[in-house]
Amino acid sequence: MELRIRNLSKTYANGVVALDKVSLTIPAGMFGLLGPNGAGKSTLMRTLATLQECDAGSVFFGDLDVLDEKDEIRRLLGYLPQDFGVYPKVTAYELLDHFAVLKGLSHRARRREVVDGLLQQTNLFEVRHQRLGGFSGGMRQRFGIAQALLGDPKLIIVDEPTAGLDPQERVRFHNLLSDIGDDKTVLLSTHIVSDVADLCANMAIINKGNVLLCGEPQKLIDAIDGKIWARFVAKHELAAFQQQHAVISTRLLTGRTLIHVYAERDPGAGFEPAIADLDDVYFATIAGRHTAAVNR
Ligand code: ADP
């Protein structure tokens, strides 16, 4: 089912505009909402998860009015918040079983089946009788997905799920998310480009409460291809290059500084054409260099 967000706005009491007329159409499958810290992702996620009020706008999931029919939406919703806390002294099985009761799974044998199934799906079955306090960050996030999947939700919202995971755990978590199924609408918020590159059929880039870019990752990469140029620079040269060129990213590679610039034509000065990737799309967009058509 499709999630349609129209002109959603939110200004906090301190005057911060967290969402500024956000409009997005999110089809079934995995959708990545990419943006730096403070972009407004969590505000959007919490609003969609019916946990926070917005000031204006509308959101529909199929025919359901998300902002108005909160109880109905909650029945279809699985949510993994950014700061998912667990009770450290209870076991994975006990807590998931408890959440299952809260979700209305009152039939004991059926509940056991569901809880065991989810623990298996998230690769936690072997450790189900261990206390959550002893779980690693990755195990805890997988437990978070298990609880989000209770009740067979149609809309799944995961807020910054891979922040703080080591590379191996991140891959494991990606595999888990990619198995959730194409018939569900999964909204993944992240500041990590590879989360989106690895997983998402559709994406949007958000910054300062505004949607800057939206579309299929490969198409967004194709649109920028031929406009990204790279070269190594010495550290003391960096400031001058930043003044003369539209530098979108700098990173260290084997101890040297590699810069990418955005330019319609060959900027000369020793730059080589680079094969564009989603990092380039993201950094060029956030730097305000790239404004491909925003398709909402
Ligand atoms: P993200 O999830 O992308 O990091 P947030 O939605 O958490 O972004 O925050 C968007 C902006 O709103 C930030 O500037 C943040 O400081 C501000 N903000 C978030 N929550 C509150 C709040 N409860 N009160 C005031 N400002 C807030």
Side-chain angles (χ1 to χ4, degrees):
M1 240 186 313
E2 198 173 76
L3 185 68
R4 288 186 313 282
I5 304 168
R6 292 291 176 273
N7 295 316
L8 202 65
S9 293
K10 171 74 182 176
T11 301
Y12 285 108
N14 59 2
V16 171
V17 180
L19 300 175
D20 185 9
K21 296 198 177 136
V22 167
S23 292
L24 282 171
T25 300
I26 296 173
M30 191 84 75
F31 187 97
L33 185 71
L34 185 61
N37 288 332
K41 302 183 298 296
S42 289
T43 303
L44 180 58
M45 304 284 112
R46 285 195 303 264
T47 308
L48 300 176
T50 76
L51 297 171
Q52 182 174 321
E53 298 293 329
C54 61
D55 301 331
S58 68
V59 184
F60 280 85
F61 185 53
D63 292 335
L64 268 182
D65 186 333
V66 173
L67 304 178
D68 215 33
E69 298 170 277
K70 293 197 169 69
D71 287 341
E72 287 82 350
I73 280 296
R74 282 173 194 154
R75 259 179 244 131
L76 300 176
L77 177 75
Y79 177 50
L80 175 57
Q82 193 174 0
D83 45 5
F84 178 65
V86 292
Y87 298 94
K89 294 212 168 126
V90 299
T91 69
Y93 187 90
E94 286 164 346
L95 190 57
L96 197 57
D97 185 65
H98 175 67
F99 284 140
V101 173
L102 297 180
K103 270 273 173 186
L105 277 159
S106 49
H107 189 275
R108 198 175 250 223
R110 171 76 191 125
R111 190 167 72 241
R112 179 163 203 142
E113 220 173 274
V114 169
V115 168
D116 281 354
L118 285 172
L119 288 167
Q120 258 149 2
Q121 188 179 344
T122 50
N123 236 318
L124 293 170
F125 192 72
E126 303 300 319
V127 293
R128 67 194 182 282
H129 296 310
Q130 288 182 20
R131 290 178 174 188
L132 289 160
F135 273 22
S136 68
M139 290 160 85
R140 215 172 294 170
Q141 286 304 72
R142 280 186 273 132
F143 180 81
I145 286 294
Q147 65 78 33
L149 291 178
L150 275 169
D152 193 23
K154 299 288 172 274
L155 173 62
I156 298 168
I157 295 176
V158 283
D159 195 358
E160 297 266 4
T162 63
L165 299 191
D166 67 34
Q168 209 177 357
E169 281 173 332
R170 179 167 295 143
V171 169
R172 216 168 183 182
F173 196 80
H174 282 181
N175 287 331
L176 171 59
L177 284 180
S178 75
D179 283 343
I180 285 181
D182 295 338
D183 58 325
K184 298 175 190 292
T185 305
V186 184
L187 186 52
L188 165 81
S189 101
T190 183
H191 65 272
I192 298 164
V193 176
S194 64
D195 285 350
V196 176
D198 287 3
L199 290 169
C200 298
N202 290 283
M203 65 174 287
I205 296 176
I206 177 174
N207 196 18
K208 297 179 184 154
N210 289 288
V211 176
L212 302 179
L213 194 67
C214 177
E216 294 171 29
Q218 191 55 53
K219 285 193 181 156
L220 298 177
I221 294 168
D222 292 346
I224 206 172
D225 204 28
K227 298 174 186 168
I228 304 298
W229 309 82
R231 71 159 282 177
F232 285 100
V233 298
K235 279 196 184 108
H236 69 270
E237 296 173 317
L238 183 56
F241 273 98
Q242 278 170 326
Q243 274 196 340
Q244 283 163 21
H245 300 276
V247 175
I248 57 165
S249 66
T250 67
R251 72 180 173 115
L252 286 172
L253 200 67
T254 57
R256 297 195 298 160
T257 303
L258 178 68
I259 64 173
H260 277 195
V261 304
Y262 179 93
E264 297 283 337
R265 269 170 237 96
D266 187 346
F271 281 98
E272 300 278 343
I275 296 170
D277 61 16
L278 203 57
D279 277 306
D280 294 313
V281 171
Y282 177 62
F283 290 120
T285 304
I286 293 293
R289 297 293 175 184
H290 178 54
T291 47
V294 176
N295 151 34
R296 294 174 190 169

